[in-house]
């Protein structure tokens, strides 16, 4: 079974630029999550999708971050404009359903904002 | 606010010894806990879980203990191997929300 796929693996941008991350969850997984992991910290939930609808985006900085999950499969996370403090690893995770406890994580996209 | 935290940021053990990683949580409503292992450059990987109606759960070489009285859980790794070197996170979940709150992690170094 293929795991959660994320791209790009690394991204370096200057502040005020825009960046987008892509995630392809495990086939058939209805729930998709984006987490932000700052160096030395645990992952922090940014947004949770159930199929193509948003379940929770309370911790998403909506003035600069946006995410979508068209057709309930792939998802993109965008930052516009980026700030220095956005430097982190962005992890995508999926689970079979909203009530399924186990999250399956991708390897993440490491973002450096200079 | 409520949080999940770890007592020790770094733990060094000798290969073959047992490792114990601790985690404290403050949310009394938490009823489900997971330990994740994160190797360098990879996403967190599920190790073992435990529900609040249990005190102990065992897996292959790993055991999770939950003490609800003091809001504490631990991960025990038997006969630690070099491949166990990673950062370990505890995560709490409140039933019906399926949102996981992660602690800051403990780095486990296994010395050969």
């Amino acid at each position: 079974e293929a795991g959660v796929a994320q791209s790009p693996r690394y991204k370096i941008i200057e502040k005020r630029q825009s960046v987008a991350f892509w995630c392809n969850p495990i086939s058939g997984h209805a729930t998709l999550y984006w987490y932000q992991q700052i160096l030395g910290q645990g992952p922090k939930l940014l947004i949770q999708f159930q199929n193509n609808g948003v379940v929770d985006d309370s911790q998403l900085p909506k003035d600069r971050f946006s995410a979508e999950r068209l057709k309930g499969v792939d998802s993109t996370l965008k930052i516009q404009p980026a700030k220095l403090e956005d430097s982190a690893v962005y992890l995508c995770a999926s689970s079979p359903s909203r009530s399924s406890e186990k999250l399956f994580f991708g390897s993440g996209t490491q973002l450096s904002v200079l | 606010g409520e949080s999940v935290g770890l007592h020790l940021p770094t733990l060094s053990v000798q290969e073959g010894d047992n490792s114990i990683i601790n985690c404290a949580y403050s949310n009394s409503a938490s009823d489900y806990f997971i330990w994740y292992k994160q190797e360098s450059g990879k996403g967190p990987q599920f190790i073992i879980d435990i529900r609040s109606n249990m005190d102990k759960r065992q897996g292959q070489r790993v055991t999770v203990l939950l003490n609800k009285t003091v809001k504490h859980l631990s991960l025990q790794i038997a006969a630690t191997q070099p491949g166990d070197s990673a950062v370990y996170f505890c995560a709490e979940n409140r039933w019906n929300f399926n949102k996981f709150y992660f602690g800051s992690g403990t780095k486990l170094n296994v010395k050969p």
Side-chain angles (χ1 to χ4, degrees):
Chain A
E1 180 182 74
V4 176
Q6 289 188 247
S7 67
R9 189 73 180 87
Y10 304 94
K11 190 71 177 179
I12 301 174
I13 62 173
E14 295 185 350
K15 59 183 179 183
R16 291 187 289 273
Q17 286 187 322
S18 302
V19 64
F21 313 125
W22 173 82
C23 172
N24 181 242
I26 293 174
S27 178
H29 280 197
T31 310
L32 185 146
Y33 309 78
W34 283 102
Y35 280 84
Q36 179 193 57
Q37 186 175 24
I38 294 173
L39 184 65
Q41 299 182 16
K44 170 191 165 186
L45 179 66
L46 292 176
I47 189 167
Q48 177 184 355
F49 290 94
Q50 178 69 14
N51 296 312
N52 61 348
V54 176
V55 173
D56 181 7
D57 62 356
S58 58
Q59 298 193 79
L60 187 73
K62 299 179 187 62
D63 58 333
R64 297 183 300 106
F65 286 66
S66 64
E68 61 181 7
R69 191 185 183 196
L70 299 177
K71 300 181 181 179
V73 182
D74 293 5
S75 178
T76 56
L77 176 69
K78 298 178 181 178
I79 307 175
Q80 180 180 12
K83 293 185 176 181
L84 297 177
E85 57 262 36
D86 298 331
S87 294
V89 174
Y90 291 84
L91 294 163
C92 179
S94 69
S95 66
S97 69
R98 187 177 176 183
S99 61
S100 175
E101 299 91 356
K102 292 182 184 179
L103 300 186
F104 297 84
F105 284 86
S107 295
T109 295
Q110 184 172 330
L111 174 67
S112 296
V113 182
L114 307 177
Chain B
E2 296 168 331
S3 64
V4 177
L6 297 177
H7 294 304
L8 299 174
T10 304
L11 177 66
S12 293
V13 299
Q14 204 69 36
E15 180 179 358
D17 288 351
N18 297 332
S19 302
I20 299 177
I21 301 172
N22 297 302
C23 177
Y25 65 97
S26 58
N27 186 349
S28 58
S30 299
D31 54 14
Y32 179 62
F33 304 88
I34 298 180
W35 280 100
Y36 281 93
K37 171 186 180 182
Q38 187 173 28
E39 296 175 281
S40 180
K42 298 183 179 180
Q45 178 185 8
F46 174 91
I47 301 174
I48 192 168
D49 59 355
I50 189 168
R51 296 193 181 280
S52 58
N53 61 351
M54 303 172 68
D55 297 324
K56 179 180 180 179
R57 190 165 189 215
Q58 288 184 298
Q60 186 176 12
R61 283 201 306 119
V62 294
T63 300
V64 55
L65 299 177
L66 176 62
N67 185 330
K68 295 179 287 294
T69 303
V70 295
K71 298 187 183 70
H72 180 271
L73 69 159
S74 66
L75 175 70
Q76 300 179 358
I77 305 174
T80 312
Q81 303 170 359
D84 296 326
S85 293
V87 177
Y88 290 80
F89 295 96
C90 64
E92 60 141 335
N93 183 28
R94 282 167 252 174
W95 188 240
N96 291 332
F97 288 91
N98 213 42
K99 289 189 296 184
F100 290 89
Y101 299 87
F102 285 78
S104 56
T106 291
K107 184 176 182 179
L108 176 65
N109 291 323
V110 181
K111 296 176 288 185

